[in-house]
Amino acid sequence: ASGTTVTGKTKYPHRLSAGQLIQVSNSTDNSYNGFHNVASIINDYEFTYTLSSTPSTSIPGGIIQFTVEGYSGSVVRAGMFDAQNGFFFFFLYPSHN
């Protein structure tokens, strides 16, 4: 964190967008935990969000996780084409609130 701006870095592409609501958890500094709106997207692996006050540590400990809140209309479908052509999987997330 730098002041109240937190830069989140992920191992895999995060696929977030600015304004999206996330829930951050498992930080040893509770200032980072909670519900936050994504402020900006730096690249596929980094994003920022803003805290209400300056945290006591600039780099928190713990295995920090985030979950995306407010997805609606997402579907996962699986099935078989036929005996020769095998399985299919379909995932769609058309929107988020």
Side-chain angles (χ1 to χ4, degrees):
S2 177
T4 59
T5 302
V6 177
T7 301
K9 297 181 181 186
T10 62
K11 182 176 181 179
Y12 301 104
H14 51 68
R15 300 181 70 183
L16 296 172
S17 58
Q20 200 164 22
L21 182 65
I22 59 172
Q23 181 181 15
V24 179
S25 59
N26 299 330
S27 170
T28 55
D29 184 342
N30 283 329
S31 301
Y32 293 90
N33 295 331
F35 291 92
H36 306 282
N37 286 311
V38 175
S40 66
I41 303 300
I42 299 170
N43 57 45
D44 288 344
Y45 299 91
E46 297 177 308
F47 63 94
T48 66
Y49 66 91
T50 305
L51 299 175
S52 57
S53 63
T54 303
S56 59
T57 59
S58 62
I59 301 174
I63 299 174
I64 302 169
Q65 299 177 339
F66 74 90
T67 55
V68 179
E69 299 294 317
Y71 270 102
S72 62
S74 299
V75 294
V76 175
R77 297 182 182 137
M80 292 199 58
F81 288 113
D82 58 35
Q84 291 179 328
N85 294 314
F87 294 99
F88 73 89
F89 294 94
F90 177 76
F91 174 74
L92 175 67
Y93 65 105
S95 66
H96 62 274
N97 297 333

Coordinates of all heavy atoms in Angstrom, one line a residue:
A1 N 0.8 -1.2 0.0 CA 0.0 0.0 0.0 C 0.9 1.2 0.0 O 2.0 1.3 0.5 CB -0.9 0.0 1.2
S2 N 0.4 2.2 -0.6 CA 1.0 3.6 -0.6 C -0.1 4.5 -0.2 O -1.0 4.8 -0.9 CB 1.5 3.9 -2.0 OG 2.1 5.2 -1.9
G3 N -0.1 5.0 1.1 CA -1.2 5.7 1.6 C -2.4 4.8 1.8 O -2.3 3.8 2.3
T4 N -3.5 5.2 1.2 CA -4.7 4.4 1.2 C -4.9 3.6 -0.1 O -5.9 2.9 -0.2 CB -6.0 5.3 1.5 OG1 -6.1 6.3 0.4 CG2 -5.9 6.0 2.8
T5 N -4.0 3.7 -1.0 CA -4.1 3.0 -2.3 C -3.4 1.7 -2.2 O -2.2 1.7 -1.9 CB -3.6 3.8 -3.5 OG1 -4.3 5.0 -3.6 CG2 -3.7 3.1 -4.8
V6 N -4.1 0.6 -2.4 CA -3.5 -0.7 -2.4 C -3.3 -1.3 -3.8 O -4.2 -1.2 -4.6 CB -4.4 -1.7 -1.6 CG1 -3.8 -3.1 -1.6 CG2 -4.6 -1.2 -0.2
T7 N -2.2 -1.8 -4.1 CA -1.9 -2.5 -5.3 C -2.0 -4.0 -5.1 O -1.2 -4.5 -4.3 CB -0.6 -2.1 -6.0 OG1 -0.6 -0.7 -6.2 CG2 -0.4 -2.8 -7.3
G8 N -2.9 -4.7 -5.7 CA -3.0 -6.1 -5.6 C -2.3 -6.8 -6.7 O -2.4 -6.4 -7.9
K9 N -1.5 -7.8 -6.4 CA -0.8 -8.5 -7.5 C -1.2 -10.0 -7.4 O -1.2 -10.6 -6.4 CB 0.7 -8.4 -7.3 CG 1.2 -7.0 -7.4 CD 2.7 -6.9 -7.2 CE 3.1 -5.4 -7.2 NZ 4.6 -5.2 -7.2
T10 N -1.5 -10.6 -8.6 CA -2.0 -11.9 -8.7 C -1.0 -12.8 -9.4 O -0.3 -12.4 -10.3 CB -3.4 -12.0 -9.4 OG1 -3.3 -11.5 -10.7 CG2 -4.4 -11.1 -8.6
K11 N -1.1 -14.1 -9.1 CA -0.3 -15.1 -9.8 C -0.8 -15.4 -11.2 O 0.0 -15.6 -12.2 CB -0.3 -16.4 -9.0 CG 0.6 -17.5 -9.6 CD 0.6 -18.7 -8.7 CE 1.5 -19.8 -9.2 NZ 1.6 -20.9 -8.3
Y12 N -2.1 -15.3 -11.4 CA -2.8 -15.6 -12.7 C -3.5 -14.4 -13.1 O -3.9 -13.5 -12.2 CB -3.7 -16.8 -12.5 CG -3.0 -18.1 -12.1 CD1 -3.1 -18.5 -10.8 CD2 -2.2 -18.8 -13.0 CE1 -2.5 -19.7 -10.4 CE2 -1.6 -19.9 -12.6 CZ -1.7 -20.4 -11.3 OH -1.0 -21.5 -10.9
P13 N -3.9 -14.2 -14.4 CA -4.7 -13.0 -14.8 C -6.0 -12.9 -13.9 O -6.7 -13.9 -13.8 CB -5.0 -13.3 -16.2 CG -3.9 -14.2 -16.7 CD -3.6 -15.1 -15.5
H14 N -6.2 -11.7 -13.4 CA -7.3 -11.5 -12.5 C -8.7 -11.3 -13.2 O -9.7 -11.6 -12.6 CB -7.1 -10.4 -11.6 CG -6.7 -9.1 -12.3 ND1 -7.5 -8.4 -13.1 CD2 -5.5 -8.4 -12.3 CE1 -6.9 -7.3 -13.5 NE2 -5.7 -7.3 -13.1
R15 N -8.7 -10.8 -14.4 CA -9.9 -10.6 -15.2 C -10.9 -9.7 -14.5 O -12.1 -9.8 -14.7 CB -10.6 -12.0 -15.6 CG -9.6 -12.8 -16.4 CD -10.2 -14.1 -16.8 NE -11.3 -13.8 -17.8 CZ -12.0 -14.8 -18.3 NH1 -11.9 -16.0 -17.9 NH2 -13.0 -14.5 -19.2
L16 N -10.4 -8.8 -13.7 CA -11.3 -7.8 -13.0 C -11.5 -6.6 -13.9 O -10.8 -6.4 -14.9 CB -10.6 -7.3 -11.7 CG -10.4 -8.4 -10.7 CD1 -9.6 -7.9 -9.5 CD2 -11.8 -8.9 -10.2
S17 N -12.4 -5.7 -13.5 CA -12.6 -4.5 -14.2 C -12.8 -3.4 -13.2 O -13.3 -3.7 -12.0 CB -13.8 -4.5 -15.2 OG -15.0 -4.9 -14.5
A18 N -12.5 -2.1 -13.5 CA -12.7 -1.0 -12.6 C -14.1 -0.9 -12.2 O -15.0 -1.1 -13.0 CB -12.2 0.3 -13.2
G19 N -14.3 -0.7 -10.9 CA -15.6 -0.5 -10.3 C -16.2 -1.8 -9.8 O -17.2 -1.8 -9.1
Q20 N -15.6 -2.9 -10.1 CA -16.1 -4.2 -9.6 C -15.9 -4.4 -8.1 O -14.9 -3.9 -7.6 CB -15.3 -5.3 -10.4 CG -16.0 -6.6 -10.4 CD -15.4 -7.5 -11.5 OE1 -14.3 -7.3 -11.9 NE2 -16.1 -8.5 -11.9
L21 N -16.8 -5.0 -7.4 CA -16.8 -5.2 -6.0 C -16.1 -6.5 -5.7 O -16.4 -7.6 -6.3 CB -18.2 -5.2 -5.4 CG -18.3 -5.4 -3.9 CD1 -17.7 -4.2 -3.2 CD2 -19.7 -5.6 -3.5
I22 N -15.1 -6.5 -4.8 CA -14.3 -7.7 -4.4 C -14.3 -7.7 -2.9 O -14.5 -6.7 -2.2 CB -12.9 -7.7 -4.9 CG1 -12.1 -6.5 -4.4 CG2 -12.8 -7.8 -6.4 CD1 -10.6 -6.5 -4.7
Q23 N -14.2 -9.0 -2.4 CA -14.0 -9.1 -0.9 C -12.6 -9.7 -0.7 O -12.2 -10.7 -1.2 CB -15.0 -10.1 -0.4 CG -14.9 -10.3 1.1 CD -15.9 -11.3 1.7 OE1 -16.5 -12.0 1.0 NE2 -16.0 -11.3 3.1
V24 N -11.8 -8.9 0.1 CA -10.4 -9.3 0.4 C -10.4 -10.0 1.7 O -11.1 -9.5 2.7 CB -9.5 -8.1 0.3 CG1 -8.1 -8.5 0.7 CG2 -9.6 -7.4 -1.0
S25 N -9.7 -11.1 1.9 CA -9.7 -11.8 3.2 C -8.3 -12.4 3.4 O -7.5 -12.5 2.5 CB -10.7 -12.9 3.2 OG -10.5 -13.8 2.2
N26 N -8.1 -12.8 4.7 CA -6.9 -13.5 5.1 C -5.6 -12.7 5.3 O -4.5 -13.2 5.4 CB -6.6 -14.7 4.3 CG -7.7 -15.7 4.3 OD1 -8.4 -15.9 5.3 ND2 -7.8 -16.5 3.2
S27 N -5.7 -11.3 5.3 CA -4.6 -10.5 5.5 C -4.3 -10.4 7.0 O -5.3 -10.4 7.8 CB -4.8 -9.1 5.0 OG -3.8 -8.2 5.4
T28 N -3.1 -10.4 7.4 CA -2.8 -10.3 8.9 C -3.0 -8.9 9.4 O -3.2 -8.7 10.6 CB -1.3 -10.6 9.1 OG1 -0.4 -9.8 8.3 CG2 -1.0 -12.1 8.8
D29 N -3.1 -7.9 8.5 CA -3.5 -6.5 8.8 C -4.9 -6.4 8.4 O -5.2 -6.3 7.2 CB -2.6 -5.5 8.1 CG -2.9 -4.1 8.5 OD1 -3.9 -3.8 9.0 OD2 -2.0 -3.2 8.2
N30 N -5.8 -6.3 9.3 CA -7.3 -6.3 9.0 C -7.7 -5.1 8.2 O -8.8 -5.0 7.7 CB -8.1 -6.3 10.3 CG -8.2 -7.8 10.8 OD1 -8.1 -8.7 10.1 ND2 -8.2 -7.9 12.1
S31 N -6.9 -4.0 8.1 CA -7.2 -2.9 7.3 C -7.4 -3.3 5.8 O -8.2 -2.6 5.1 CB -6.1 -1.8 7.3 OG -5.8 -1.4 8.6
Y32 N -6.7 -4.3 5.3 CA -6.8 -4.7 4.0 C -8.1 -5.6 3.7 O -8.6 -5.6 2.6 CB -5.6 -5.5 3.5 CG -4.3 -4.7 3.5 CD1 -3.5 -4.5 4.6 CD2 -4.0 -4.0 2.3 CE1 -2.4 -3.8 4.6 CE2 -2.8 -3.3 2.3 CZ -2.0 -3.2 3.4 OH -0.9 -2.4 3.4
N33 N -8.6 -6.2 4.7 CA -9.7 -7.1 4.6 C -11.0 -6.4 4.4 O -11.1 -5.2 4.8 CB -9.8 -8.1 5.8 CG -8.7 -9.0 5.9 OD1 -8.0 -9.4 4.9 ND2 -8.3 -9.4 7.1
G34 N -12.0 -7.0 3.8 CA -13.3 -6.4 3.6 C -13.7 -6.2 2.2 O -13.1 -6.8 1.3
F35 N -14.8 -5.5 2.0 CA -15.4 -5.3 0.7 C -14.8 -4.0 0.1 O -14.8 -3.0 0.8 CB -16.9 -5.2 0.7 CG -17.5 -6.6 1.0 CD1 -17.8 -6.9 2.3 CD2 -17.8 -7.5 0.0 CE1 -18.4 -8.1 2.6 CE2 -18.4 -8.7 0.3 CZ -18.7 -9.0 1.6
H36 N -14.3 -4.1 -1.1 CA -13.7 -2.9 -1.8 C -14.1 -2.9 -3.3 O -14.2 -3.9 -3.9 CB -12.2 -2.9 -1.6 CG -11.7 -3.1 -0.2 ND1 -11.7 -2.1 0.7 CD2 -11.2 -4.2 0.4 CE1 -11.2 -2.5 1.8 NE2 -10.9 -3.8 1.7
N37 N -14.2 -1.7 -3.8 CA -14.3 -1.6 -5.3 C -13.0 -1.4 -5.9 O -12.1 -0.7 -5.4 CB -15.2 -0.3 -5.6 CG -16.6 -0.5 -5.3 OD1 -17.2 -1.6 -5.6 ND2 -17.2 0.4 -4.6
V38 N -12.8 -2.1 -7.0 CA -11.6 -2.0 -7.8 C -11.5 -0.6 -8.3 O -12.4 -0.1 -9.0 CB -11.5 -3.1 -8.9 CG1 -10.3 -2.9 -9.8 CG2 -11.6 -4.5 -8.4
A39 N -10.4 0.1 -8.0 CA -10.2 1.5 -8.5 C -9.7 1.5 -9.9 O -10.2 2.3 -10.7 CB -9.3 2.2 -7.5
S40 N -8.7 0.7 -10.2 CA -8.1 0.8 -11.5 C -7.4 -0.6 -11.8 O -7.1 -1.3 -11.0 CB -7.1 1.9 -11.7 OG -5.9 1.6 -10.8
I41 N -7.2 -0.8 -13.1 CA -6.5 -2.0 -13.6 C -5.2 -1.5 -14.2 O -5.1 -0.7 -15.1 CB -7.3 -2.7 -14.7 CG1 -8.7 -3.1 -14.2 CG2 -6.6 -3.9 -15.3 CD1 -8.8 -4.0 -13.0
I42 N -4.1 -2.1 -13.6 CA -2.8 -1.7 -14.1 C -2.4 -2.6 -15.3 O -1.9 -2.1 -16.3 CB -1.7 -1.9 -12.9 CG1 -2.1 -0.9 -11.8 CG2 -0.3 -1.6 -13.4 CD1 -1.3 -1.1 -10.5
N43 N -2.6 -3.9 -15.1 CA -2.3 -4.8 -16.2 C -3.1 -6.1 -15.8 O -3.9 -6.1 -14.9 CB -0.8 -5.1 -16.4 CG -0.1 -5.6 -15.1 OD1 -0.6 -6.4 -14.4 ND2 1.0 -5.0 -14.9
D44 N -2.8 -7.2 -16.5 CA -3.6 -8.5 -16.3 C -3.3 -9.1 -14.9 O -4.1 -9.9 -14.5 CB -3.2 -9.5 -17.4 CG -3.8 -9.2 -18.7 OD1 -4.7 -8.3 -18.8 OD2 -3.4 -9.8 -19.7
Y45 N -2.3 -8.6 -14.3 CA -1.9 -9.2 -13.0 C -1.9 -8.3 -11.8 O -1.6 -8.7 -10.7 CB -0.4 -9.8 -13.1 CG -0.4 -10.9 -14.2 CD1 0.0 -10.6 -15.5 CD2 -0.7 -12.2 -13.9 CE1 0.0 -11.6 -16.5 CE2 -0.6 -13.2 -14.8 CZ -0.3 -12.9 -16.1 OH -0.2 -13.9 -17.1
E46 N -2.2 -7.0 -12.1 CA -2.2 -6.0 -11.0 C -3.4 -5.1 -11.1 O -3.8 -4.7 -12.2 CB -0.9 -5.1 -11.1 CG 0.3 -5.9 -10.9 CD 1.6 -5.0 -11.0 OE1 1.7 -4.3 -12.0 OE2 2.4 -5.0 -10.1
F47 N -4.0 -4.8 -9.9 CA -5.1 -3.8 -9.9 C -5.0 -3.0 -8.6 O -4.2 -3.4 -7.7 CB -6.4 -4.6 -9.9 CG -6.6 -5.6 -8.7 CD1 -7.3 -5.1 -7.5 CD2 -6.1 -6.8 -8.7 CE1 -7.4 -6.0 -6.4 CE2 -6.2 -7.7 -7.6 CZ -6.9 -7.3 -6.5
T48 N -5.7 -2.0 -8.5 CA -5.7 -1.2 -7.2 C -7.1 -1.1 -6.6 O -8.1 -1.2 -7.3 CB -5.2 0.3 -7.5 OG1 -6.1 1.0 -8.3 CG2 -3.8 0.3 -8.1
Y49 N -7.1 -0.8 -5.3 CA -8.3 -0.5 -4.6 C -7.9 0.5 -3.5 O -6.8 0.6 -3.1 CB -9.1 -1.7 -4.1 CG -8.4 -2.6 -3.0 CD1 -8.7 -2.3 -1.7 CD2 -7.6 -3.7 -3.4 CE1 -8.1 -3.1 -0.7 CE2 -7.1 -4.5 -2.4 CZ -7.3 -4.2 -1.1 OH -6.7 -5.0 -0.1
T50 N -8.9 1.2 -2.9 CA -8.7 2.2 -2.0 C -9.2 1.8 -0.6 O -10.4 1.3 -0.5 CB -9.3 3.5 -2.4 OG1 -8.8 3.8 -3.7 CG2 -8.9 4.7 -1.5
L51 N -8.4 2.1 0.4 CA -8.9 1.8 1.8 C -9.4 3.1 2.4 O -9.1 4.2 1.9 CB -7.7 1.3 2.7 CG -7.0 0.1 2.2 CD1 -5.8 -0.2 3.1 CD2 -7.9 -1.1 2.3
S52 N -10.2 3.0 3.5 CA -10.8 4.1 4.1 C -9.8 4.9 5.0 O -9.9 6.1 5.2 CB -12.0 3.7 4.9 OG -11.7 2.8 5.9
S53 N -8.8 4.2 5.4 CA -7.7 4.8 6.2 C -6.4 4.1 5.9 O -6.3 3.0 5.3 CB -8.0 4.7 7.7 OG -8.0 3.3 8.1
T54 N -5.3 4.8 6.3 CA -3.9 4.3 6.0 C -3.7 3.0 6.9 O -3.8 3.1 8.1 CB -2.9 5.3 6.2 OG1 -3.2 6.5 5.4 CG2 -1.5 4.8 5.9
P55 N -3.3 1.9 6.3 CA -3.0 0.7 7.1 C -1.7 0.9 7.9 O -0.9 1.7 7.6 CB -2.9 -0.4 6.0 CG -2.4 0.3 4.8 CD -3.1 1.7 4.8
S56 N -1.6 0.0 8.9 CA -0.4 0.1 9.7 C 0.9 -0.5 9.1 O 2.0 -0.2 9.4 CB -0.6 -0.6 11.1 OG -1.0 -2.0 10.9
T57 N 0.7 -1.4 8.0 CA 1.8 -2.0 7.3 C 1.6 -1.7 5.8 O 0.5 -1.7 5.3 CB 1.9 -3.5 7.5 OG1 0.6 -4.1 7.1 CG2 2.1 -3.9 9.0
S58 N 2.7 -1.5 5.1 CA 2.6 -1.3 3.7 C 2.5 -2.6 2.9 O 2.0 -2.7 1.8 CB 3.7 -0.4 3.2 OG 5.0 -1.1 3.4
I59 N 3.1 -3.7 3.5 CA 3.0 -5.0 2.9 C 2.4 -6.0 3.9 O 3.1 -6.4 4.9 CB 4.4 -5.5 2.4 CG1 4.9 -4.5 1.4 CG2 4.3 -6.9 1.8 CD1 6.4 -4.8 0.9
P60 N 1.2 -6.4 3.8 CA 0.6 -7.3 4.8 C 1.0 -8.7 4.7 O 1.5 -9.1 3.6 CB -0.9 -7.1 4.5 CG -1.0 -6.9 3.1 CD 0.2 -6.0 2.8
G61 N 0.9 -9.4 5.7 CA 1.3 -10.9 5.7 C 0.0 -11.7 5.5 O -1.1 -11.2 5.4
G62 N 0.2 -13.0 5.4 CA -0.9 -13.9 5.2 C -1.0 -14.4 3.8 O -0.3 -13.9 2.9
I63 N -1.9 -15.3 3.6 CA -2.2 -15.8 2.2 C -3.5 -15.1 1.8 O -4.6 -15.5 2.1 CB -2.3 -17.3 2.2 CG1 -1.0 -18.0 2.6 CG2 -2.7 -17.8 0.7 CD1 -1.1 -19.5 2.7
I64 N -3.3 -13.9 1.2 CA -4.4 -13.0 1.0 C -5.2 -13.5 -0.3 O -4.6 -13.9 -1.3 CB -3.9 -11.6 0.8 CG1 -3.2 -11.2 2.0 CG2 -5.1 -10.6 0.5 CD1 -2.4 -9.9 1.9
Q65 N -6.5 -13.5 -0.1 CA -7.4 -14.0 -1.2 C -8.4 -12.9 -1.5 O -8.7 -12.1 -0.6 CB -8.1 -15.2 -0.8 CG -7.2 -16.4 -0.6 CD -7.9 -17.6 -0.1 OE1 -9.0 -17.6 0.4 NE2 -7.3 -18.8 -0.3
F66 N -9.0 -12.9 -2.7 CA -10.1 -12.0 -3.0 C -11.1 -12.9 -3.8 O -10.8 -13.8 -4.5 CB -9.7 -10.8 -3.8 CG -9.4 -11.0 -5.2 CD1 -10.3 -10.9 -6.2 CD2 -8.1 -11.3 -5.6 CE1 -10.0 -11.2 -7.5 CE2 -7.7 -11.5 -6.9 CZ -8.7 -11.4 -7.9
T67 N -12.4 -12.5 -3.5 CA -13.5 -13.1 -4.3 C -14.3 -12.0 -5.0 O -14.4 -10.9 -4.4 CB -14.4 -14.0 -3.4 OG1 -14.9 -13.1 -2.3 CG2 -13.7 -15.2 -2.8
V68 N -14.8 -12.3 -6.1 CA -15.5 -11.3 -6.9 C -17.0 -11.4 -6.4 O -17.6 -12.5 -6.3 CB -15.4 -11.6 -8.4 CG1 -16.2 -10.6 -9.2 CG2 -14.0 -11.5 -8.8
E69 N -17.6 -10.3 -6.1 CA -19.0 -10.2 -5.6 C -19.9 -9.7 -6.8 O -19.5 -8.9 -7.6 CB -19.1 -9.3 -4.4 CG -18.3 -9.7 -3.2 CD -18.7 -11.0 -2.6 OE1 -20.0 -11.2 -2.5 OE2 -17.9 -11.8 -2.3
G70 N -21.1 -10.2 -6.8 CA -22.1 -9.7 -7.7 C -22.2 -10.2 -9.1 O -22.8 -9.6 -9.9
Y71 N -21.6 -11.4 -9.4 CA -21.8 -11.9 -10.7 C -23.2 -12.5 -10.8 O -23.7 -13.1 -9.9 CB -20.8 -13.1 -11.0 CG -19.5 -12.6 -11.6 CD1 -18.4 -12.5 -10.8 CD2 -19.4 -12.3 -12.9 CE1 -17.2 -12.0 -11.4 CE2 -18.3 -11.9 -13.5 CZ -17.1 -11.7 -12.8 OH -16.0 -11.3 -13.3
S72 N -23.8 -12.3 -12.0 CA -25.1 -12.9 -12.2 C -25.2 -13.4 -13.6 O -24.5 -12.9 -14.5 CB -26.2 -11.8 -11.9 OG -26.1 -10.7 -12.9
G73 N -26.0 -14.4 -13.8 CA -26.2 -14.9 -15.1 C -25.1 -15.8 -15.6 O -25.1 -16.2 -16.8
S74 N -24.2 -16.2 -14.7 CA -23.1 -17.1 -15.1 C -23.6 -18.5 -15.3 O -24.5 -19.0 -14.5 CB -22.0 -17.1 -14.1 OG -21.5 -15.8 -14.0
V75 N -23.1 -19.3 -16.2 CA -23.6 -20.6 -16.4 C -22.4 -21.5 -16.8 O -21.4 -21.1 -17.4 CB -24.6 -20.8 -17.6 CG1 -25.9 -20.1 -17.2 CG2 -24.1 -20.3 -18.9
V76 N -22.5 -22.8 -16.4 CA -21.5 -23.8 -16.7 C -22.3 -25.0 -17.2 O -23.3 -25.4 -16.6 CB -20.6 -24.2 -15.5 CG1 -19.7 -25.4 -16.0 CG2 -19.8 -23.1 -15.0
R77 N -22.0 -25.4 -18.4 CA -22.7 -26.5 -19.0 C -21.7 -27.6 -19.4 O -20.6 -27.3 -19.9 CB -23.6 -26.1 -20.2 CG -24.6 -25.1 -19.9 CD -25.5 -24.8 -21.1 NE -26.5 -23.8 -20.7 CZ -26.8 -22.7 -21.4 NH1 -26.2 -22.5 -22.5 NH2 -27.7 -21.9 -21.0
A78 N -22.1 -28.8 -19.3 CA -21.2 -29.9 -19.7 C -22.1 -31.0 -20.3 O -23.3 -31.2 -20.0 CB -20.4 -30.5 -18.6
G79 N -21.6 -31.8 -21.3 CA -22.4 -32.8 -21.9 C -21.5 -33.6 -22.9 O -20.3 -33.4 -23.0
M80 N -22.2 -34.5 -23.6 CA -21.5 -35.3 -24.6 C -22.0 -34.9 -26.0 O -23.2 -34.7 -26.2 CB -21.8 -36.8 -24.3 CG -21.1 -37.2 -23.1 SD -20.9 -39.0 -23.0 CE -19.9 -39.4 -24.4
F81 N -21.1 -34.8 -26.9 CA -21.5 -34.6 -28.3 C -22.1 -35.9 -28.8 O -23.2 -36.0 -29.2 CB -20.3 -34.2 -29.2 CG -19.8 -32.8 -28.9 CD1 -18.6 -32.6 -28.4 CD2 -20.6 -31.8 -29.3 CE1 -18.1 -31.3 -28.2 CE2 -20.1 -30.5 -29.1 CZ -18.9 -30.2 -28.5
D82 N -21.3 -37.0 -28.8 CA -21.7 -38.3 -29.2 C -20.6 -39.3 -28.8 O -19.6 -38.8 -28.3 CB -22.1 -38.5 -30.6 CG -21.0 -38.1 -31.6 OD1 -19.8 -38.4 -31.3 OD2 -21.3 -37.6 -32.7
A83 N -20.7 -40.5 -29.0 CA -19.7 -41.5 -28.6 C -18.4 -41.3 -29.2 O -17.4 -41.6 -28.6 CB -20.2 -42.9 -28.8
Q84 N -18.3 -40.7 -30.4 CA -17.0 -40.6 -31.1 C -16.4 -39.2 -30.8 O -15.2 -39.1 -30.8 CB -17.2 -40.7 -32.6 CG -17.6 -42.0 -33.1 CD -17.8 -42.1 -34.6 OE1 -18.2 -41.1 -35.2 NE2 -17.4 -43.2 -35.2
N85 N -17.1 -38.2 -30.5 CA -16.6 -36.9 -30.3 C -16.4 -36.4 -28.9 O -15.9 -35.3 -28.7 CB -17.4 -35.9 -31.1 CG -17.4 -36.1 -32.6 OD1 -16.3 -36.3 -33.1 ND2 -18.5 -36.2 -33.2
G86 N -16.8 -37.2 -27.9 CA -16.5 -36.8 -26.5 C -17.3 -35.8 -25.9 O -18.4 -35.5 -26.2
F87 N -16.7 -35.2 -24.8 CA -17.4 -34.2 -24.0 C -17.2 -32.8 -24.4 O -16.3 -32.4 -25.2 CB -16.7 -34.3 -22.6 CG -17.0 -35.6 -21.9 CD1 -16.0 -36.5 -21.8 CD2 -18.2 -35.8 -21.2 CE1 -16.2 -37.7 -21.2 CE2 -18.4 -37.0 -20.5 CZ -17.4 -38.0 -20.5
F88 N -18.1 -31.9 -24.0 CA -17.9 -30.5 -24.2 C -18.2 -29.8 -22.8 O -18.9 -30.3 -22.0 CB -18.9 -29.9 -25.3 CG -20.3 -29.8 -24.8 CD1 -20.8 -28.7 -24.2 CD2 -21.2 -30.9 -25.1 CE1 -22.1 -28.6 -23.9 CE2 -22.5 -30.8 -24.7 CZ -23.0 -29.6 -24.1
F89 N -17.5 -28.7 -22.6 CA -17.7 -27.8 -21.5 C -17.9 -26.4 -22.0 O -17.2 -25.9 -22.9 CB -16.5 -27.8 -20.6 CG -16.2 -29.2 -19.9 CD1 -15.4 -30.1 -20.5 CD2 -16.9 -29.5 -18.7 CE1 -15.2 -31.3 -19.9 CE2 -16.7 -30.7 -18.2 CZ -15.8 -31.7 -18.8
F90 N -18.9 -25.7 -21.4 CA -19.2 -24.4 -21.8 C -19.3 -23.5 -20.5 O -20.0 -23.8 -19.6 CB -20.5 -24.4 -22.5 CG -21.1 -23.0 -23.0 CD1 -20.5 -22.4 -24.0 CD2 -22.1 -22.5 -22.3 CE1 -21.0 -21.1 -24.4 CE2 -22.6 -21.2 -22.7 CZ -22.0 -20.6 -23.7
F91 N -18.6 -22.4 -20.5 CA -18.7 -21.5 -19.4 C -19.0 -20.1 -19.9 O -18.3 -19.6 -20.9 CB -17.4 -21.4 -18.6 CG -17.3 -20.4 -17.5 CD1 -18.1 -20.6 -16.4 CD2 -16.6 -19.2 -17.7 CE1 -18.0 -19.6 -15.4 CE2 -16.5 -18.3 -16.7 CZ -17.3 -18.4 -15.5
L92 N -19.9 -19.4 -19.3 CA -20.3 -18.1 -19.8 C -20.6 -17.2 -18.6 O -21.3 -17.6 -17.7 CB -21.5 -18.1 -20.7 CG -22.1 -16.8 -21.2 CD1 -21.1 -16.1 -22.1 CD2 -23.4 -17.0 -21.9
Y93 N -19.9 -16.0 -18.5 CA -20.3 -15.1 -17.5 C -20.6 -13.7 -18.2 O -19.8 -12.9 -18.5 CB -19.2 -14.9 -16.4 CG -17.9 -14.3 -16.9 CD1 -17.6 -13.0 -16.5 CD2 -17.0 -15.1 -17.6 CE1 -16.4 -12.5 -16.9 CE2 -15.8 -14.6 -18.0 CZ -15.5 -13.3 -17.6 OH -14.3 -12.7 -18.0
P94 N -21.9 -13.5 -18.6 CA -22.2 -12.4 -19.4 C -22.2 -11.0 -18.7 O -21.9 -10.0 -19.4 CB -23.6 -12.7 -19.9 CG -24.2 -13.6 -18.8 CD -23.0 -14.4 -18.3
S95 N -22.4 -11.0 -17.4 CA -22.4 -9.7 -16.8 C -22.1 -9.8 -15.3 O -22.1 -10.9 -14.8 CB -23.7 -9.0 -17.0 OG -24.7 -9.8 -16.2
H96 N -21.7 -8.7 -14.7 CA -21.6 -8.6 -13.3 C -22.3 -7.3 -12.8 O -22.4 -6.4 -13.5 CB -20.1 -8.7 -12.8 CG -19.3 -7.6 -13.3 ND1 -18.7 -7.6 -14.5 CD2 -19.0 -6.4 -12.8 CE1 -18.0 -6.5 -14.7 NE2 -18.2 -5.7 -13.7
N97 N -22.7 -7.3 -11.5 CA -23.4 -6.2 -11.0 C -22.5 -5.4 -10.1 O -21.6 -5.9 -9.5 CB -24.7 -6.6 -10.2 CG -25.7 -7.3 -11.1 OD1 -25.7 -7.0 -12.3 ND2 -26.4 -8.2 -10.5

